[in-house]
Amino acid sequence: MAKINENYLKLPGSYLFSVINQKVDAFTKKNPGKELIRMGIGDVTRPLVPSVIGAMKDAVEEMGTFEGFHGYGPEQGYDFLRDLIVENDYRKKGIDIQADEVFVSDGAKSDTGNIGDIFSADNKVAVCDPVYPVYVDTNAMSGRAGSYDKESGHWSELIYMECSAENGFLPPIPDKHADLIYLCFPNNPTGMAADRDYLKKWVDYAISEGSVILFDSAYETFITQPEIPHSIFEIEGAKKCAVEFRSFSKTAGFTGNRCAYTVIPHELVIDGARVNSLWNRRHTTKFNGVPYIVQRGAAAVYGEQGQREIKEVIKYYLNNAEIIRGGLAKAGLTVYGGVNAPYIWAKTPDNMPSWDFFDRLLEEANVITTPGVGFGPSGEGYIRFTAFGDADKTKEAVERIIKIL
Ligand code: MLT
């Protein structure tokens, strides 16, 4: 008889954003005609910029000719894109990364979720609490998380690093050993960013413990403060202990296009094995590459026009973030994030449980948010807003919230 992976049976309920969708669908059925404003899932809303559209149109035309047709591409990404990534995102910033250290993929969600494949099931994993649920759920799927305790909301084998207002949402380095450490800065969900001194402590820890930092920097493009590093590789020693995940999703509106990349330096050697080679083995076995047309679109982001255009869009979202921050503060809420990130993390009024406040905002203000506790027990009493909406709707949502509070 076939047997399934029992770890899947241990997973609690559904994926966070599916639960929210179910709640919203139920509300809409009961209240047809109510105009909901979405500030829940971090999905972009501005259309693709003209330079990307132009490049993708050209690529479609090319694909319609014998000379320009592309079948399977290199699994790791076309050289034209890997070279642009290396040059613009690293070398120009003084970071020496080689093109064969870059793996183009269909998303940072997939890569942060899949990277565990090449590490032993015995590894001790450390995650922030609250945390992007993909890191936790995928470790649970691969048997690294132990068992789930409904009461605490924690998995028995994971090391949770509490992010609280008291520690500025930057958890201290654990006093025990962790093999794999997931860090996300600028952070999802808290919207807080980490400076160089803080990240240096992690790099020193990882080197001394022989651990690997899995650094999700999908939101680096929202950084506005010069003291905040955009890449873990800006930190000395990081190439020996870190993997970096980046994405075009939030940078260039590619959530529906799917294009991201992961950087694994050759210097990262664990247990005598080069992590880059192992990931290459996995990637070439399980993945057939991002479509040529999409990679041409991503490449256009690095042109002069592309840069100008995407910066405008980022400015637009950051302006929304400012409106949300200011409005929520006016409504009497304590707010965090939103300066170097598209997420605003707010304390609920009178310590109201996250889901109760989520329901209240949905029912009374008709605004969809994400309950902080959905990201982990330490998110209880918080709510997350995203700045990816339309500017007018964002203003209206904030006005509605001010009114009900
Ligand atoms: C979020 O809302 O946390 C993001 O949309 C997650 C993601 O990028 O997958």
Side-chain angles (χ1 to χ4, degrees):
M1 194 167 78
K3 287 198 177 135
I4 47 112
N5 176 349
E6 283 186 1
N7 297 314
Y8 278 69
L9 300 179
K10 300 183 200 163
L11 293 167
S14 319
Y15 184 60
L16 172 63
F17 293 104
S18 316
V19 177
I20 293 173
N21 284 341
Q22 285 159 16
K23 272 190 168 260
V24 171
D25 286 348
F27 178 84
T28 315
K29 258 196 203 126
K30 262 209 226 146
N31 303 277
K34 284 259 190 243
E35 199 235 320
L36 296 179
I37 301 181
R38 294 179 185 274
M39 299 171 105
I41 191 163
D43 194 5
V44 292
T45 57
R46 308 298 294 161
L48 292 172
V49 297
S51 53
V52 168
I53 308 273
M56 288 178 72
K57 275 187 180 163
D58 289 348
V60 170
E61 292 297 333
E62 240 188 280
M63 289 285 275
T65 65
F66 279 103
E67 310 73 51
F69 176 72
H70 287 77
Y72 292 128
E75 295 92 340
Q76 306 87 340
Y78 285 98
D79 286 345
F80 65 79
L81 182 57
R82 293 171 102 191
D83 290 343
L84 283 168
I85 290 169
V86 161
E87 188 53 35
N88 292 280
D89 292 343
Y90 294 100
R91 290 207 186 131
K92 272 190 187 160
K93 295 171 180 157
I95 306 166
D96 182 28
I97 292 290
Q98 310 298 315
D100 63 357
E101 294 174 317
V102 174
F103 296 86
V104 175
S105 76
D106 67 347
K109 178 178 182 173
S110 323
D111 285 357
T112 53
N114 288 326
I115 193 81
D117 282 12
I118 59 171
F119 293 103
S120 157
D122 296 339
N123 276 322
K124 204 75 192 154
V125 175
V127 292
C128 290
D129 177 14
V131 66
Y132 179 40
V134 170
Y135 315 151
V136 170
D137 289 4
T138 55
N139 274 290
M141 288 169 180
S142 58
R144 229 176 265 121
S147 53
Y148 183 69
D149 177 37
K150 251 194 180 157
E151 201 63 39
S152 67
H154 278 168
W155 290 83
S156 60
E157 294 300 320
L158 297 185
I159 298 171
Y160 287 91
M161 306 183 290
E162 191 186 335
C163 305
S164 60
E166 288 70 41
N167 61 30
F169 301 95
L170 301 177
I173 311 291
D175 52 9
K176 47 182 132 168
H177 174 77
D179 297 300
L180 304 176
I181 303 136
Y182 289 80
L183 295 179
C184 173
F185 290 111
N187 188 261
N188 178 14
T190 67
M192 299 298 269
D195 67 13
R196 288 184 176 78
D197 290 345
Y198 179 74
L199 292 180
K200 178 77 174 105
K201 285 187 199 148
W202 274 113
V203 168
D204 291 346
Y205 169 87
I207 290 174
S208 74
E209 296 285 321
S211 1
V212 179
I213 297 172
L214 301 168
F215 193 78
D216 185 346
S217 90
Y219 301 97
E220 61 78 31
T221 196
F222 293 89
I223 293 172
T224 57
Q225 295 175 314
E227 65 274 23
I228 303 298
H230 288 242
S231 166
I232 188 74
F233 301 122
E234 287 181 41
I235 313 299
E236 202 195 322
K239 288 208 303 189
K240 289 195 185 72
C241 64
V243 171
E244 177 157 286
F245 305 91
R246 289 223 190 162
S247 173
F248 294 92
S249 284
K250 315 291 157 70
T251 310
F254 271 48
T255 53
N257 247 1
R258 310 311 307 152
C259 194
Y261 63 88
T262 289
V263 178
I264 310 186
H266 293 304
E267 283 174 50
L268 180 60
V269 176
I270 297 293
D271 235 357
R274 268 193 4 194
V275 176
N276 179 293
S277 310
L278 296 180
W279 185 248
N280 190 51
R281 184 70 176 85
R282 186 216 174 266
H283 200 69
T284 49
T285 305
K286 291 197 174 182
F287 188 63
N288 252 339
V290 173
Y292 173 73
I293 297 162
V294 173
Q295 291 193 55
R296 277 291 177 203
V301 167
Y302 293 105
E304 216 176 285
Q305 186 194 339
Q307 280 296 297
R308 212 174 35 247
E309 290 168 348
I310 63 158
K311 279 183 185 147
E312 274 305 304
V313 177
I314 300 300
K315 219 163 98 188
Y316 181 97
Y317 291 139
L318 281 169
N319 192 45
N320 284 348
E322 192 50 48
I323 290 167
I324 300 168
R325 278 174 60 85
L328 296 180
K330 199 167 151 196
L333 301 182
T334 308
V335 289
Y336 303 94
V339 174
N340 296 298
Y343 296 120
I344 294 90
W345 187 242
K347 190 88 196 74
T348 61
D350 306 321
N351 278 328
M352 190 187 258
S354 297
W355 277 112
D356 290 357
F357 193 48
F358 168 90
D359 287 336
R360 183 163 176 216
L361 291 176
L362 178 63
E363 282 156 24
E364 295 177 27
N366 303 146
V367 172
I368 306 167
T369 53
T370 309
V373 71
F375 298 99
S378 298
E380 183 56 291
Y382 287 92
I383 198 101
R384 192 194 75 172
F385 293 81
T386 79
F388 286 121
D390 171 82
D392 290 337
K393 285 200 177 138
T394 300
K395 273 186 211 131
E396 190 184 328
V398 167
E399 276 160 22
R400 289 187 196 172
I401 294 169
I402 293 174
K403 209 160 150 198
I404 67 154
L405 291 182

